[in-house]
Amino acid sequence: MAIKKKEEAKQPAVEVSKLQQFFDRNKKVIYGIGIAAIVIVVGVFLYINFVRNPRREAARKAVAVATAAVNETGFAEADSLTLATMLHGDPVTKAQGLVDIIDEYGRKAGAAEAYAGAAEMQLGNFAEAKAHLEKYKTDDPVMKAAAVAAIADCDVELGNLDSAAAGFMKAADMIDNVTSARYLFKAGLVYEALGQNDKALEAYRKIKNRYPDSYEAQTGIDIYISKLETK
């Protein structure tokens, strides 16, 4: 019994010895792994703080400069020259346009794609507008829904009515407020143009039942519903 206890007492020492031997044989690899991990962590820290974040801030400032004139007047009041300058820059002042900002900063350009899409829509360039809006990324559900609906507007102008109707319905489902009623109403109109009156009626009824306080519900949605119900 005493002999067994002595053997058990020696076991930890043997295990420690084996561990030490393993470490001695592989210390270069172990040190290498540790150093690599440190390099990765430091590299990520440096990239975030000295590359990514400064580039995002630089992109944000560039977008602010490019869109300043339009933000003062609003897109509806901006003339074609102002919109074109916002998109392609000013050759006199050498100010960057949104297209150049997007090329330089990519996804870090943030709202540049949305601004560019809106400008191209205002200029009547719907294919170009759609291309910009499809690249726009945001975590804000309201802005995301607005971009999807704007793409659907472009599809209407381009004659892609099936895609437009699906886009308006998707935008309406992405949020749950009175803005959804606007998207549902547009979807209903497109469905009617497609001859899909059952889907149009469903969209109009959603406006009446879910968003009774919306502008669309209070300005004649019953007329649209009655018209389709009697067909």
Side-chain angles (χ1 to χ4, degrees), residues 17-153:
S17 178
K18 287 181 179 179
L19 182 62
Q20 185 64 48
Q21 290 173 13
F22 173 82
F23 183 83
D24 290 339
R25 288 197 307 270
N26 298 280
K27 60 184 177 182
K28 288 185 178 181
V29 175
I30 294 170
Y31 286 148
I33 293 171
I35 292 170
I38 293 171
V39 169
I40 291 171
V41 171
V42 172
V44 170
F45 175 82
L46 292 175
Y47 173 77
I48 290 173
N49 289 279
F50 295 100
V51 178
R52 188 189 69 181
N53 288 348
R55 278 180 63 79
R56 282 183 176 173
E57 180 60 18
R60 187 193 67 77
K61 289 180 179 178
V63 170
V65 171
T67 60
V70 171
N71 285 334
E72 287 181 7
T73 62
F75 274 91
E77 289 75 24
D79 57 32
S80 58
L81 178 60
T82 302
L83 293 170
T85 300
M86 182 181 76
L87 282 166
H88 303 292
D90 189 335
V92 177
T93 64
K94 305 298 182 182
Q96 275 187 306
L98 293 174
V99 173
D100 290 334
I101 294 169
I102 291 167
D103 287 342
E104 181 175 351
Y105 294 101
R107 285 187 292 180
K108 293 180 180 65
E113 296 282 12
Y115 274 112
E120 293 287 16
M121 286 183 72
Q122 188 72 6
L123 291 169
N125 303 324
F126 297 105
E128 292 83 351
K130 182 177 177 181
H132 282 296
L133 292 165
E134 286 177 336
K135 294 175 185 175
Y136 174 56
K137 305 296 181 185
T138 178
D139 293 327
D140 186 310
V142 175
M143 292 301 298
K144 191 179 295 186
V148 170
I151 291 170
D153 283 323

Side-chain angles (χ1 to χ4, degrees), residues 177-182 206-208 210-221:
N177 57 41
V178 292
T179 306
S180 294
R182 183 187 312 160
K206 282 184 179 179
I207 294 172
K208 180 178 176 65
R210 294 187 184 179
Y211 309 106
D213 296 329
S214 66
Y215 174 82
E216 289 73 17
Q218 296 184 7
T219 54
I221 198 64

